[in-house]
Amino acid sequence: MNAQTQHPHTRQAFYRRDRRSVRLARKFAWQTLTDWAAAERGEDVLLCVSELATNALLHGVPAGRGFLLRLVLHAEGALRVEVHDSGPGEVGCPDPVPDADAEHGRGLLLVAALADKWGVGERNPGKIVWCEFLVK
């Protein structure tokens, strides 16, 4: 007997280098989670989408470019959020942790705290910053 392979659900959208893109990415992510009936951790997912999209805009999207948001729901219940950008640079949590009154520098700390896993992958040019959530 052959085991059936279940393919993941995938949706993606491309956004311009524009501050409004973060709001649009959140809206797209929420609609996708709702359509997939996978909104149990929706608030965590949306916060991470916001942080990754904002980081891409601030640090990873050169002028005239944009970023790609990809959401993948695997059959076993893992939701993967990916933000693809074309900019250079390394991604990591700040060390040391920003002071309590600092206005920047906590985005990836939030992603690391909320997601079950997160990381960075290569692409040419740029990088893919991703996080995963168990949703089922």
Side-chain angles (χ1 to χ4, degrees):
M1 183 165 136
N2 292 336
Q4 286 186 333
T5 303
Q6 292 186 347
H7 297 285
H9 296 289
T10 302
R11 287 197 187 163
Q12 61 186 31
F14 185 81
Y15 299 95
R16 300 177 327 158
R17 185 178 182 211
D18 184 308
R19 282 192 294 172
R20 292 173 289 194
S21 293
V22 174
R23 179 181 49 81
L24 295 172
R26 283 176 56 94
K27 184 176 179 180
F28 171 79
W30 179 250
Q31 185 61 57
T32 299
L33 292 176
T34 301
D35 291 349
W36 290 346
E40 300 90 30
R41 296 189 60 195
E43 290 180 15
D44 292 346
V45 171
L46 293 181
L47 182 55
C48 289
V49 165
S50 291
E51 294 300 336
L52 296 181
T54 299
N55 281 351
L57 288 174
L58 292 175
H59 308 294
V61 179
R65 301 273 180 118
F67 68 91
L68 177 78
L69 171 62
R70 178 178 292 150
L71 303 172
V72 181
L73 180 62
H74 295 276
E76 68 277 3
L79 174 70
R80 184 175 177 103
V81 175
E82 298 178 352
V83 173
H84 300 230
D85 70 49
S86 56
E90 294 187 20
V91 177
C93 288
D95 186 29
V97 174
D99 292 332
D101 59 347
E103 294 183 16
H104 301 285
R106 289 185 192 81
L108 289 176
L109 291 171
L110 288 170
V111 171
L114 295 173
D116 295 309
K117 294 188 227 176
W118 79 279
V120 182
E122 294 182 20
R123 73 185 287 268
N124 190 12
K127 61 199 158 299
I128 302 167
V129 185
W130 59 270
C131 57
E132 291 184 355
F133 302 85
L134 296 177
V135 293
K136 291 188 180 187

